[in-house]
Amino acid sequence: MAAIDGLPPLREVIAAHGLAAKKSLGQNFLLDLNLTAKIARLAGDLAGADVLEVGPGPGGLTRGLLAEGARHVLAVEKDARCLPALAEIAAAHPGRLEVIEGDALAVDVLSHLTPPIKVVANLPYNVGTELLIRWMTPKDWPPFWQSLTLMFQKEVAERIVAKPGSKAYGRLALMVQWRAEARIALTLPPEAFTPPPKISSAVVQITALPAPRFPADAVTLERVVAAGFNQRRKMLRASLKGLAPDIEDRLRAAGIAPTARAEEIPLEGFCALARALRA
Ligand code: SAM
């Protein structure tokens, strides 16, 4: 049976174009168009927005984004085998889908997009965290994107939304939560994908804040957080001693006990310490 957009079901598309999944490209496809439409809806109203999609593959999520009314979708795909299938989707939605063949880590996407811009992607696991870090650490804030709706391994998603005192709390949580709102919007079992990966996945919804929650210099904050969590079992006076000779005084100035450990310190404390180190 044809899907709502008049295009063939994804299993047929995969068979017709010989898109056997390649592990090296992190290919675990979503073939249920109800599910891909649901993921697209998590990104909010798409009608007035451009959407950047990384790794469209055979186009299940792309079709969801278009069906949900995205103004313009820019899809960046590394696997040339997927291009004919994506061209069929573009033909069914004249002027709304642009496909770039290339590595999302190397392509300059900004010249192809008009604000407001949302990023929605079922990311290849091997590049997902690297892309997230790039999107979270632009030179200027607010960033080019309004929101990120991203599929990750569940364990990575839990690290993004983690709170102080938990094992998952660390650099990723602090980097994201300093300047954005982040929540797990959907969890998916391995069977939702073809082929199924070994572990569960989760969609994280990240919305950019207009400004950081607490003032701090981005580079100093990153340095403090990296040093603190590099040896997360150690007391901060030991793990941070390379940052300043008088680190105990700086910790106290930030209202942090020198004997505390990184995993106990909330975002506000790290920002205060970054300011104390710059003072
Ligand atoms: N979006 C599709 C879906 O939901 O079914 C495919 C998701 S699959 C997990 C990841 C996709 O990213 C694959 O199509 C893969 O070829 C593509 N990919 C892998 N590395 C990439 C890169 N560096 N740049 C762009 N696309 C990449």
Side-chain angles (χ1 to χ4, degrees), residues 125-264:
Y125 288 154
N126 44 358
V127 293
T129 318
E130 185 165 351
L131 281 169
L132 175 66
I133 290 171
R134 283 194 194 185
W135 289 328
M136 289 309 310
T137 54
K139 214 160 66 34
D140 301 308
W141 198 269
F144 76 88
W145 50 270
Q146 216 175 45
S147 63
L148 309 172
T149 307
L150 306 173
M151 181 90 70
F152 286 102
Q153 291 158 278
K154 188 159 168 263
E155 174 267 328
V156 176
E158 282 166 352
R159 278 167 46 209
I160 294 169
V161 303
K163 296 294 173 209
S166 66
K167 252 170 89 179
Y169 184 61
R171 287 174 76 178
L172 214 45
L174 287 156
M175 179 188 298
V176 173
Q177 295 174 33
W178 181 40
R179 299 192 281 197
E181 200 82 66
R183 68 182 180 95
I184 292 182
L186 184 68
T187 303
L188 291 176
E191 311 80 73
F193 301 85
T194 304
K198 288 204 175 65
I199 32 153
S200 294
S201 301
V203 178
V204 185
Q205 176 66 20
I206 299 173
T207 309
L209 297 172
R213 287 179 203 274
F214 307 103
D217 169 67
V219 175
T220 312
L221 180 61
E222 166 57 21
R223 203 173 293 149
V224 173
V225 169
F229 284 96
N230 202 16
Q231 299 168 297
R232 60 189 293 143
R233 308 299 313 159
K234 281 200 176 172
M235 292 178 190
L236 288 171
R237 68 176 175 209
S239 59
L240 301 185
K241 73 170 183 276
L243 295 184
D246 56 348
I247 190 65
E248 294 210 17
D249 293 341
R250 310 261 182 167
L251 281 161
R252 281 192 207 95
I256 298 171
T259 51
R261 292 176 170 79
E263 61 195 16
E264 306 160 25

